[in-house]
Amino acid sequence: MIPITVIAILSYLVGSVPTSIIVARSRRGIDIRQHGSGNAGGTNVIRVLGWKIGVSVIAADMAKGLIATMLIARLMYGPIPFENNTPFDDFTVVQIIAGCAAILGHIWTLFAGFKGGKGIATAGGMLLGIAPIEVAISLGVFMIVFLISHYVSLGSLSAAVSFPLTMFLRENVFMVDITGYNTLIYFSVAISLLIFFTHRTNIKRLLAGTENRIVRMPFFKK
């Protein structure tokens, strides 16, 4: 049996892979942190290197969350080494631990001076493996807000709010029985708060009206 601490460490290391830095250096020979907003995330890659490269980085960052929850978590064989007082089965608990470790790795990456991206893509990949319906709705909210405002940060923040809100409405308004809701709702709120924390500079720029917008979207071209 691989200890849960090793699962967490492996997930953190996968999350720490600085995708945007690697891609920017290999494709254009630049340090993405010295261009655009200076953030090592997919949005800044879109801004500096274009949509095709940026979307590939975002997809890779989402994959890190999926790898942690769907592959690394499965390396845990046998019961977890602590009492599981949650309504989840043991494997789901391991998935949550692995996914959170990957998100922390993406935000505070070991391989880039503990300065990485803002965690939204990796969190999306992690949550996709646990709550796909809520993730799908949140993605829809992101796209609507982004297409109207052209602010990726505002779309990301809106998606972060919509995830726990969707879960709350499904359980309490639409009477959908969500397994482990009483635990998962708090977990989803915690993830949303973390996203807001990593976007705190974006929030200041949004309030000041100085946030960067992405106006040119190639899929609107005739």
Side-chain angles (χ1 to χ4, degrees):
M1 181 178 76
I2 296 181
I4 191 67
T5 52
V6 176
I7 296 293
I9 291 171
L10 289 175
S11 298
Y12 171 81
L13 292 176
V14 168
S16 286
V17 175
T19 314
S20 61
I21 297 174
I22 294 172
V23 170
R25 283 178 176 171
S26 63
R27 296 294 294 272
R28 300 292 171 83
I30 64 171
D31 186 341
I32 193 64
R33 296 168 295 180
Q34 297 177 0
H35 299 269
S37 67
N39 180 256
T43 301
N44 197 37
V45 175
I46 290 176
R47 184 178 295 114
V48 176
L49 302 180
W51 273 90
K52 291 182 179 180
I53 298 177
V55 169
S56 68
V57 168
I58 291 173
D61 288 340
M62 289 189 70
K64 294 192 293 187
L66 275 173
I67 289 171
T69 55
M70 304 306 292
L71 295 179
I72 296 178
R74 294 185 184 279
L75 297 177
M76 181 80 183
Y77 180 79
I80 55 178
F82 51 83
E83 186 177 356
N84 182 4
N85 293 319
T86 75
F88 300 113
D89 57 64
D90 288 357
F91 177 63
T92 302
V93 172
V94 175
Q95 282 185 300
I96 291 174
I97 293 172
C100 288
I103 295 171
L104 294 177
H106 179 77
I107 297 172
W108 293 287
T109 170
L110 177 66
F111 307 117
F114 297 98
K115 294 181 179 180
K118 296 180 179 178
I120 189 71
T122 304
M126 173 253 193
L127 294 172
L128 185 61
I130 298 174
I133 293 177
E134 284 77 8
V135 170
I137 294 173
S138 298
L139 180 60
V141 170
F142 167 84
M143 290 302 299
I144 291 171
V145 173
F146 169 64
L147 291 175
I148 292 174
S149 68
H150 300 287
Y151 290 118
V152 173
S153 58
L154 186 59
S156 299
L157 293 169
S158 299
V161 171
S162 68
F163 185 86
L165 181 60
T166 299
M167 184 170 293
F168 175 82
L169 292 175
R170 290 185 69 223
E171 173 78 18
N172 297 282
V173 177
F174 296 100
M175 303 303 172
V176 177
D177 185 15
I178 301 175
T179 302
Y181 167 78
N182 290 330
T183 298
L184 194 57
I185 186 66
Y186 292 108
F187 167 72
S188 66
V189 170
I191 293 295
S192 296
L193 291 175
L194 178 61
I195 297 301
F196 267 76
F197 174 77
T198 60
H199 282 77
R200 60 193 183 280
T201 56
N202 300 85
I203 294 173
K204 291 180 181 179
R205 290 196 295 266
L206 284 168
L207 294 174
T210 58
E211 177 71 322
N212 294 317
R213 303 174 73 194
I214 296 179
V215 178
R216 295 183 179 181
M217 292 172 284
F219 42 81
F220 282 152
K221 291 182 179 180
K222 296 181 178 179

